[in-house]
């Protein structure tokens, strides 16, 4: 079946540095990718929608200069957390919609656990 | 390892009829359970969640779900569906082990409400 890979699965970075998280669709082309974050015991919160060939659409309250999203190709989207702070520590997860999907089929990555120290 | 199974990939139902979307999970640690809805070209929206306490959870848009630990299930129900409920529904399990979080999604159930 369709697979979405996220890397790294866990990362620890120092406060003030930047960290990049990759989301790859391994066996399909994705026209749309979604980025979410989840705090402990909370639900997923949509951060942005990334469409191939255009700029990402950010949800209200999400700083686009802090969370840089690049949909570089039909199989890769990256989320870069710039100048990370401890409050950015969270679980980040992406999902991808295949280019030729019928209906609303979507696949999820396994998530990336970011700890900022 | 944990897993989530949504037994029905598609569920057609007539408008104003009741519906149940099934979700079963497996996990060796305590779980937090979520149901999300996704409308075309939009991100996930939270319908409801179970963290602890009462096993019957009420969510938005008239949906509710019941956590059944013995059957490892968290089925979603609505007594009377509307056309606007046509969407894809995802069940998700979150666990915390060794200080790390893991989220697993079901494969989704497409609810089609027939006028």
């Amino acid at each position: 079946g369709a697979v979405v890979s996220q890397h790294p699965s866990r990362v620890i970075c120092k406060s003030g540095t930047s960290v990049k998280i990759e989301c790859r669709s391994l066996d399909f082309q994705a026209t749309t990718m979604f980025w979410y974050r989840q705090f402990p015991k909370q639900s997923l919160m949509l951060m942005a929608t990334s469409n191939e060939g255009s700029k990402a659409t950010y949800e209200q309250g999400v700083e686009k200069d802090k969370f840089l999203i690049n949909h570089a190709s039909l199989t890769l989207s990256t989320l870069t957390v710039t100048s990370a702070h401890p409050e950015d520590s969270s679980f980040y997860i992406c999902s991808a919609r295949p280019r030729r999907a019928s209906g609303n089929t979507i696949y999820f990555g396994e998530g990336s656990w970011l700890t900022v120290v | 390892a944990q897993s989530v199974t949504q037994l029905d990939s598609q569920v057609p139902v007539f408008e104003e009829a009741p519906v149940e979307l099934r979700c079963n999970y497996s996990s060796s640690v305590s779980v937090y359970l979520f149901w999300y809805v996704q409308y075309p070209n939009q991100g996930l929206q939270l319908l409801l969640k179970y963290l602890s306490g009462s096993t019957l959870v009420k969510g938005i848009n008239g949906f509710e779900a019941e956590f059944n630990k013995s059957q490892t299930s968290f089925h979603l129900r609505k007594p009377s569906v509307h056309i606007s409920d046509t969407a894809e529904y995802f069940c998700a399990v979150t666990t915390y082990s060794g200080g790390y979080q893991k989220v697993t999604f079901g494969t989704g159930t497409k609810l089609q409400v027939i006028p």
Side-chain angles (χ1 to χ4, degrees):
Chain A
V3 176
V4 174
S5 172
Q6 261 185 260
H7 178 80
S9 58
R10 299 173 184 172
V11 59
I12 300 173
C13 71
K14 290 185 178 180
S15 185
T17 63
S18 296
V19 61
K20 181 186 288 187
I21 300 170
E22 293 186 346
C23 178
R24 291 182 185 272
S25 54
L26 297 185
D27 53 2
F28 64 91
Q29 293 180 328
T31 50
T32 304
M33 288 184 172
F34 300 92
W35 284 96
Y36 302 86
R37 67 187 300 184
Q38 183 177 20
F39 292 106
K41 299 186 180 182
Q42 301 294 320
S43 65
L44 293 180
M45 291 177 55
L46 179 65
M47 299 175 66
T49 302
S50 171
N51 291 300
E52 185 266 339
S54 63
K55 291 183 178 180
T57 302
Y58 289 81
E59 295 298 300
Q60 190 174 6
V62 178
E63 299 175 59
K64 60 180 67 176
D65 293 331
K66 180 170 184 60
F67 299 99
L68 300 179
I69 291 172
N70 182 12
H71 200 141
S73 71
L74 285 172
T75 59
L76 174 64
S77 177
T78 60
L79 167 67
T80 302
V81 183
T82 61
S83 187
H85 292 286
E87 58 264 30
D88 297 325
S89 298
S90 185
F91 188 77
Y92 294 87
I93 193 166
C94 71
S95 67
R97 177 185 298 130
R99 190 178 196 181
R100 293 194 178 93
S102 60
N104 199 30
T105 307
I106 200 153
Y107 301 96
F108 295 90
E110 292 195 332
S112 300
W113 181 261
L114 169 63
T115 302
V116 184
V117 298
Chain B
Q2 66 191 48
S3 66
V4 178
T5 302
Q6 287 184 246
L7 297 169
D8 306 299
S9 59
Q10 295 190 50
V11 173
V13 62
F14 286 103
E15 192 174 15
E16 297 184 3
V19 69
E20 179 179 81
L21 306 183
R22 296 179 292 172
C23 174
N24 288 86
Y25 68 91
S26 67
S27 174
S28 57
V29 298
S30 297
V31 299
Y32 302 96
L33 298 157
F34 301 83
W35 273 100
Y36 296 93
V37 59
Q38 181 158 20
Y39 299 101
N41 301 316
Q42 296 183 27
L44 294 178
Q45 296 178 29
L46 177 68
L47 275 179
L48 47 80
K49 61 183 176 183
Y50 172 79
L51 303 180
S52 65
S54 173
T55 57
L56 182 62
V57 180
K58 293 187 183 298
I60 63 170
N61 300 340
F63 284 94
E64 64 179 32
E66 186 159 18
F67 171 54
N68 188 318
K69 189 174 182 179
S70 62
Q71 295 186 5
T72 60
S73 68
F74 191 55
H75 300 332
L76 180 71
R77 295 189 292 260
K78 186 170 182 177
S80 175
V81 296
H82 300 286
I83 294 291
S84 58
D85 294 324
T86 295
E88 187 155 21
Y89 294 78
F90 292 91
C91 179
V93 166
T94 297
T95 60
Y96 299 91
S97 179
Y100 293 100
Q101 175 175 320
K102 183 174 175 63
V103 178
T104 303
F105 287 88
T107 50
T109 298
K110 295 177 184 176
L111 174 62
Q112 183 181 6
V113 180
I114 304 165

